[in-house]
Amino acid sequence: MKNLKQMIGLTLIVLLLAGCSANSGNSNNTGNTSNPASNEEAVNGSAATNSGSETESGNEGNEGSAVEVDKGLLNVDVTIPASFYEDTDAETVLSDAKEQGATKAVQNDDGSYTFTYPKSVHSDMMKELKQTIESGITETLDSGTFSSLKDVTYNDDFSEFTIVVDKEQYEGSMDAFVLLGLSVQGIMYNTFNGADTTDMKVPFHLKDAATDEVYDTVYFPNDNSSN
């Protein structure tokens, strides 16, 4: 899932760099591709059969604005909007899908792509995404760039985080950009895992490192109000 992983990483990097610019003056897990619609590949020899449960995700009427995940008995169909691949040609996207283990890859009329993966492959992809997010958290903490952040813990699907901070230092910094980046990754992880994330907001419990008490809860994106 190279492109998706790169997109997640780049999203966080952009957000973090924005935080660095505005502010220039050890992860612990608690839960532990430009072709028309006819551009279709039967990857690995042939399209997979799904005992009648595989859905045809051509999505001709789809506006291409959201990721769709359809989990059948044996396969998982993932439809990704064209905007996710705006700088990548169709041939590359479809080729990458083959490398990722897709049994079928289609570019739809609206420019979106539908990939069919065996459930085991989809599971492995989600594990890789999880590892990517976890590694990013570790690297962020170890970098020392966001010095008010002392620890980050999270549940199994990255839908809730606890952030241990130096309260005084955090409130005078732009380190909350890290939380915004984590919320994007958490929502993306849940989206590709088939959850409805239309109105999802990720809670971040802020814990004072000095007192070990949660003193506030903020929600990203779009809502920074306290609980």
Side-chain angles (χ1 to χ4, degrees), residues 196-212:
D196 182 2
T197 59
T198 304
D199 299 313
M200 181 176 177
K201 291 180 174 61
V202 180
F204 292 85
H205 307 297
L206 301 177
K207 180 183 289 189
D208 186 357
T211 64
D212 202 36

Side-chain angles (χ1 to χ4, degrees), residues 101-153:
T103 55
K104 186 177 181 181
V106 182
Q107 184 180 28
N108 303 306
D109 286 339
D110 61 1
S112 65
Y113 297 88
T114 296
F115 309 120
T116 300
Y117 297 99
K119 274 199 166 181
S120 61
V121 173
H122 180 261
S123 177
D124 288 342
M125 290 163 61
M126 297 308 300
K127 289 178 182 177
E128 290 183 20
L129 286 176
K130 186 170 189 175
Q131 291 170 359
T132 299
I133 296 173
E134 292 176 334
S135 295
I137 293 172
T138 299
E139 292 171 6
T140 298
L141 291 172
D142 290 348
S143 72
T145 303
F146 307 94
S147 56
S148 74
L149 307 184
K150 304 305 178 183
D151 197 13
V152 177
T153 60

Side-chain angles (χ1 to χ4, degrees), residues 37-184:
S38 60
N39 191 352
E40 175 177 342
E41 285 189 0
V43 185
N44 297 334
S46 62
T49 58
N50 193 25
S51 301
S53 63
E54 178 181 0
T55 61
E56 181 60 41
S57 299
N59 299 316
E60 285 78 2
N62 192 325
E63 294 181 357
S65 60
V67 176
E68 295 183 4
V69 180
D70 186 4
K71 298 183 178 181
L73 294 176
L74 302 177
N75 298 320
V76 178
D77 289 341
V78 180
T79 298
I80 304 175
S83 59
F84 279 43
Y85 297 104
E86 57 185 7
D87 295 324
T88 309
D89 62 274
E91 183 179 353
T92 299
V93 172
L94 298 174
S95 176
D96 284 351
K98 179 177 180 178
E99 293 181 7
Q100 296 157 9
T103 55
K104 186 177 181 181
V106 182
Q107 184 180 28
N108 303 306
D109 286 339
D110 61 1
S112 65
Y113 297 88
T114 296
F115 309 120
T116 300
Y117 297 99
K119 274 199 166 181
S120 61
V121 173
H122 180 261
S123 177
D124 288 342
M125 290 163 61
M126 297 308 300
K127 289 178 182 177
E128 290 183 20
L129 286 176
K130 186 170 189 175
Q131 291 170 359
T132 299
I133 296 173
E134 292 176 334
S135 295
I137 293 172
T138 299
E139 292 171 6
T140 298
L141 291 172
D142 290 348
S143 72
T145 303
F146 307 94
S147 56
S148 74
L149 307 184
K150 304 305 178 183
D151 197 13
V152 177
T153 60
Y154 41 88
N155 62 357
D156 193 56
D157 62 358
F158 305 104
S159 62
E160 186 171 6
F161 294 79
T162 296
I163 314 294
V164 181
V165 301
D166 179 314
K167 182 178 179 181
E168 183 176 354
Q169 187 178 7
Y170 175 81
E171 293 182 344
S173 74
M174 296 294 292
D175 290 359
F177 274 97
V178 174
L179 278 59
L180 179 57
L182 288 173
S183 72
V184 171

